[in-house]
Amino acid sequence: MAEKAKFATKIGLVAATVGSAIGLGNVWRFPSETQGNGGAAFLIVYLLCVLILGIPVMLAEFAIGRSGQSDAVGNFKSLTPDKKWWMAGAIGLLASYLILSYYMVVAGWTLDYVFTSLTGSLYEGYETAANTSQYFGDKMNALVTSWHTPILWTFITLGINFVVLLMGVQKGIEKLSNVLMPVLFLLLVIFAVKSLTLPDAMRGVEFFLKPDFSKIDINVIISALGQAFFSLSLGMGILITYSAYYPKDTRLTRTAVQVSMLDFFVAFLMGLIIFPALCSFNMGDTASVQGTTLVFVTMPEIFANMAGTAVWSVLFFLLLSIAAITSTISLGEVAVSFVSQRMKMSRLWACVVVMAPLAVLSPICSLSLGAEPQLSIAGMSVFDFLDTFATNIMLPVCAFLICVYVAWVLPKKFIEAELTNNGENRTKTLPVTMFSIRYICPVLIALILIVKLIDILG
Ligand code: PFF
């Protein structure tokens, strides 16, 4: 059998893992969660959730992947061959594939916005529009519900994924991340400086950074836990798959802290970009920062009011495309690594087998938003159904099983040996991490799951 692929450098492995974590979760989910949950208070609770839940679950996944040296399912098989725990990996694998089918479509929308910002057609005629929110809202709706344009962009995104995944772990994923991650951070810093120097920016900074602790309640905590989950790509096989490419001497704790903190930093910078800009243009109370509306309606509205509209718009949607595409690649790698290793296929065939069904599934997701009569499951568009089911149910179930597996099924010494590289790199945080994986994480994840289930069924 060919030797297992590995990331070539430490920076490369961190860049690739951060590239997977940083995605639409940081750019549009975080600001909307922050706004809906009381601003700075949410930020603090979120940071605590990253530390208490995010890093330990990430470490549990790293330990499984690096020791198993296989794919999301195969790792469980190599660690516990005669048990059925591989099903935990299978849930993650399926979740990541379902998520990928609609994430491709959204990544396609971001590319369309880069293109229409470049050509100027995004801003054509907004000056004469009576209501600019309506103008950009209509533009977004026209794109999302069109039957051809988003599908064209989805195919372009699929093509990019195919090429990068085909090039493999080092030459594809690692090289691309090494180039795109610095570009993404540079763009974020440029936007943060611009936003913070706008007139009246400090009102937005205050909302984002001055905590009102009376705002913290159980809903804020549940939202912050969910956000940490989503943003760090937990419970979906990505971290297990990527860590199987980590060299044996990688310090897992250090890597998990670096990845989580960089991911948090990006969310933090997004807050510093969005809230001051909203306040500066007096949109703080009126503009929606709900997910798609924030990035595709509110942000173009802000750019339209700024000098250099086209430049800011192109740069912003470029930033968004980078965040989205590096995430789609990691979602795709979960399936490619599974197919190539379980079914013993060449990487080329594995990429074909993974991407071909998406060429049907992703357009269905896209069409489900605009088709008449609507393509729906359980009263939701196919797109929304996959999002709700995979992110709210499958991810927590997978992460819960991972914690139970590492803490209670594998030998007690397993996680300790992995996290210390067989005793070579002891860290003071080891007992805390172990305690969290054994007790805190399963309870918190079960809580998220129960609340989400009540939410969906109620
Ligand atoms: N962590 C990435 C993000 O924040 O967008 C990737 C991702 C995670 C995508 C979870 C989808 C998902 F459900």
Side-chain angles (χ1 to χ4, degrees), residues 120-183:
S121 64
L122 180 59
Y123 296 92
E124 237 162 49
Y126 87 91
E127 283 125 329
T128 50
N131 178 333
T132 47
S133 305
Q134 171 105 34
Y135 171 87
F136 289 112
D138 290 346
K139 281 255 167 191
M140 180 183 86
N141 268 336
L143 170 71
V144 167
T145 58
S146 147
W147 71 267
H148 46 84
T149 317
I151 295 182
L152 174 73
W153 288 111
T154 301
F155 276 110
I156 293 175
T157 318
L158 266 168
I160 297 172
N161 270 266
F162 186 86
V163 172
V164 176
L165 289 171
L166 183 61
M167 288 166 79
V169 175
Q170 274 186 20
K171 294 203 181 105
I173 301 173
E174 184 171 352
K175 275 226 165 96
L176 186 83
S177 311
N178 278 341
V179 174
L180 292 187
M181 282 304 106
V183 174

Side-chain angles (χ1 to χ4, degrees), residues 20-26 99 102-103 229-234 236 238 263 323 327 330-331 387 390-391 395:
S20 152
I22 296 169
L24 303 171
N26 307 61
I99 290 172
Y102 70 82
Y103 211 93
F229 229 86
F230 190 100
S231 193
L232 295 173
S233 301
L234 305 177
M236 51 204 303
I238 293 180
D263 185 71
S327 292
S330 67
L331 287 159
D387 186 20
T391 57
L395 300 191

Side-chain angles (χ1 to χ4, degrees), residues 234-253:
L234 305 177
M236 51 204 303
I238 293 180
L239 302 173
I240 295 185
T241 302
Y242 270 22
S243 54
Y245 305 137
Y246 290 180
K248 273 284 167 210
D249 62 348
T250 306
R251 294 186 177 200
L252 297 184
T253 306

Side-chain angles (χ1 to χ4, degrees), residues 53-62 234-235 399 402-403 437 441 445:
L53 176 91
I55 294 179
V57 178
M58 186 176 277
L59 282 171
E61 296 203 23
F62 281 176
L234 305 177
I402 284 171
C403 289
I437 297 176
C441 294
I445 297 170

